Amino acid sequence: MGFADRFLHAVNSTNLQDDAHHHDTDPLCAAALADTAGAGIGSLLSRVKYADGTQHKLFESGSANLAQLLRIWTARVIEKGRERKWLKENTAWDSDSAQKLYRRIAERSLAHWLDGKCPACSGSGNTADRRICAPCKGTGKAEIAGAGGFELEKVKDMVSELEGLLQSHNARAGGILR
């Protein structure tokens, strides 16, 4: 069982005792320790991507986590865009248009990372009659909607950045669990 599975089980656990027979708190502690050693949003990424849709109680909605992640991710994308000088921000108009572009990139990259499955085949890559899905060409991944050219490349870059953040967090947390 990988770290993501153990984290998902721990988040949805009804018994957080920590003794010789119960170990559900270990992945939660490992996630917190991995956050302090890394970028700081890894456990939030894991919670939003894997755990927020599986809560079994109506009052445990994941919308607060998603909103927090969107705020943090938008700030990160703005920072990355400025560091990498995606656009010049010499005038107020340039700065305003750059902010709008950064926000669109943040929203689209997060949306695609959270659910980038092909809607035609539900991410399987095959149709119901066991043929390769034509829209995704068998990959199971959807096209990034609403972006083209320069913006599409930046969205793809940020999607891979999100996946890298999650994978490095899970690797750190998995190492702490060992």
Side-chain angles (χ1 to χ4, degrees):
M1 184 184 313
F3 174 74
D5 295 327
R6 291 185 70 186
F7 182 76
L8 178 63
H9 181 71
V11 167
N12 291 319
S13 177
T14 58
N15 185 359
L16 291 178
Q17 288 182 340
D18 190 21
D19 58 20
H21 302 291
H22 302 94
H23 304 285
D24 284 346
T25 57
D26 294 343
L28 300 175
C29 292
L33 290 172
D35 268 351
T36 60
I41 65 168
S43 61
L44 185 59
L45 289 172
S46 292
R47 180 179 283 276
V48 170
K49 180 139 179 147
Y50 299 119
D52 277 349
T54 62
Q55 264 83 13
H56 47 79
K57 296 177 185 148
L58 292 175
F59 63 88
E60 292 177 343
S61 172
S63 60
N65 290 328
L66 181 59
Q68 180 183 10
L69 179 59
L70 181 60
R71 278 192 305 276
I72 292 169
W73 183 242
T74 301
R76 260 231 176 124
V77 169
I78 291 170
E79 180 184 320
K80 295 275 184 194
R82 287 183 175 155
E83 281 176 9
R84 298 174 184 176
K85 298 184 184 345
W86 289 347
L87 295 173
K88 294 180 182 179
E89 296 184 42
N90 298 334
T91 64
W93 186 86
D94 289 342
S95 180
D96 186 47
S97 63
Q99 290 294 318
K100 289 178 183 175
L101 176 73
Y102 297 151
R103 290 184 194 287
R104 276 196 320 266
I105 290 171
E107 290 167 2
R108 288 186 177 140
S109 63
L110 186 60
H112 186 75
W113 180 75
L114 286 172
D115 186 26
K117 293 185 284 188
C118 174
C121 66
S122 300
S124 69
N126 298 318
T127 60
D129 58 350
R130 297 186 183 173
R131 294 177 188 241
I132 293 176
C133 178
C136 69
K137 298 175 182 75
T139 63
K141 296 184 180 182
E143 295 286 323
I144 296 173
F150 175 78
E151 190 173 334
L152 178 64
E153 292 303 315
K154 300 308 174 198
V155 169
K156 286 180 181 178
D157 186 31
M158 292 295 103
V159 167
S160 67
E161 184 102 11
L162 279 165
E163 190 60 32
L165 285 169
L166 178 69
Q167 294 300 325
S168 64
H169 173 266
N170 287 353
R172 279 191 310 275
I176 292 169
L177 278 177
R178 281 187 231 131

